[in-house]
Amino acid sequence: MAAYKYMIRGGNTLSGEVTIGGAKNAALGIIVAAIMANEPVTIENIPDVDDVRVLLDAIEGIGAIVERLDRTTVRINGALINDVIVDQEAIRKIRGSYYLVGALLGKYKKALVALPGGCNIGSRPIDQHIKGFEQLGARVSIHHGKIDAKAENLRGNHIYLDCPSVGATINIMMAACMAEGKTIIENPAKEPHIVDVANFLNSMGANIRGAGTDAIRIRGVNSLHGSEYSIIPDQIEAGTFMLMVAAAGGDVLIRNVIPKHLESITAKLTEIGCRVDEYDDSVRVIRDKRLSYANVKTMPYPGFPTDMQPQMTTLLALSAGTSIVTETIFESRFEYVGDLRGMGANITIEGNTAFITGVEGFTGAEVSAPDLRAGAALVIAGLAAEGITSVDQIHFIERGYERFEDKIRGIGGLIEKINADDDRQVRKFRMKVG
Ligand code: UD1
């Protein structure tokens, strides 16, 4: 299979409008939750990204009927599911695969699902998921690279999460909504996509209250029914474009967002001198002068998202003064910093902290995406840099950003996706951008 890379000629300021797609991490939960109903479920605003395609293939593989109504709408019917074993090679590479355990366990009281993959950003244990399933009455073991969960009966329980895990919260919520009686999840994650998955389950007849607060209360139901649902906009895609404009400079209207979900990002941008105007369902980012330093600590929602940390570190590396970025969620999330240094950034890493001395500008270089969000950060760096940058391993980026290069071109960025093995395409790009 051909490998692709992005070629970028930096230095253009960005202008115009960009429209944000549906939230990838909500979509992963919602697509899986949809198989719990025995009637068709129509889901709109699904992002057109690789992780979603892998998950749709996986549910089709166990008998769900999946109809693509258009690029962002899909109809799923879980009535004919005939298998609870999910073990394709592709599914091992994505994180959202673990939701199949909660959904299948809730509906069929058994599941055998390949252990989740996802970005290599830390050890990413799943002990909280397992604890939750066990407290609902399931027996859970891990063998031959799979999670094996089964129960005679699931019974609601009072579950306290040791850390507010996004995945564990959604997984337990799914299993509990078809358990007998009442479940309370204490210390749950509160990310917008937790609320979105809960709203979706409720639209299918589940009884979930309190998603987005410190305790989620679920009363189990016997069955779920069909529904029509539209996924919320992607907070991280929106944030990535906000920081892209802040780094490259310009004036861009970012449409189809929920400004409330972007508050931690907007607050940091405003703090360092970037203008952000909020409207009902869009934000406008204007950067016409050099920005200044800030200290940032990643935290569970509503704190600053770990999925925006690489993009923020990149921006601060171009801002005046000394910034400190502390990563508290995942232990290995500074992999991209070596490549940023090659572009001229002055960053020192000590443990989970980046000490950043802002430089006036970056210079283009050959870099490689180590994971999804760090890949996006390197694209931002390339757009802000003088000269040409190539970013390879972009399959990581395509897992979570739909038509990334098209959207960037739409606001004036010079970027092209080319076959990494084809030197003629590289030469053509160089000639075209001058
Ligand atoms: C999800 C997102 C990911 C995002 C992350 C944090 C998806 C598919 N992925 O990942 O993009 O970066 O939330 O916002 O939605 N933990 C445990 N035990 C567990 C589960 C988690 O100790 O059983 C720890 C993790 O190591 C990490 C923290 O809890 O330090 C948060 O992880 P979690 O919220 O579960 O992240 P994911 O669901 O993997």
Side-chain angles (χ1 to χ4, degrees), residues 24-26 28 95-96 98-99 121 123-130 163-168 170 189 191 193 306-307 328-331 333 373:
K24 177 196 73 126
N25 287 346
L28 299 178
R95 195 80 199 145
Y98 50 28
Y99 294 139
I121 50 180
S123 62
R124 307 189 83 171
I126 53 163
D127 56 300
Q128 299 302 304
H129 304 235
I130 293 173
C163 56
S165 156
V166 169
I170 292 179
E191 268 69 2
H193 46 290
T306 174
D307 283 357
T328 73
I329 311 288
F330 293 114
E331 63 272 23
R333 224 173 176 174
R373 306 302 173 185

Side-chain angles (χ1 to χ4, degrees), residues 264 267-269 271-272 292-298 304 312 316 321-326 353-356:
S264 62
K268 275 296 152 196
L269 281 179
E271 183 185 326
I272 62 177
S292 68
Y293 62 92
N295 292 342
V296 177
K297 196 185 232 183
T298 62
F304 192 88
M312 194 66 193
L316 292 173
T322 304
S323 299
I324 299 174
V325 174
T326 311
T353 305
F355 297 91
I356 306 161

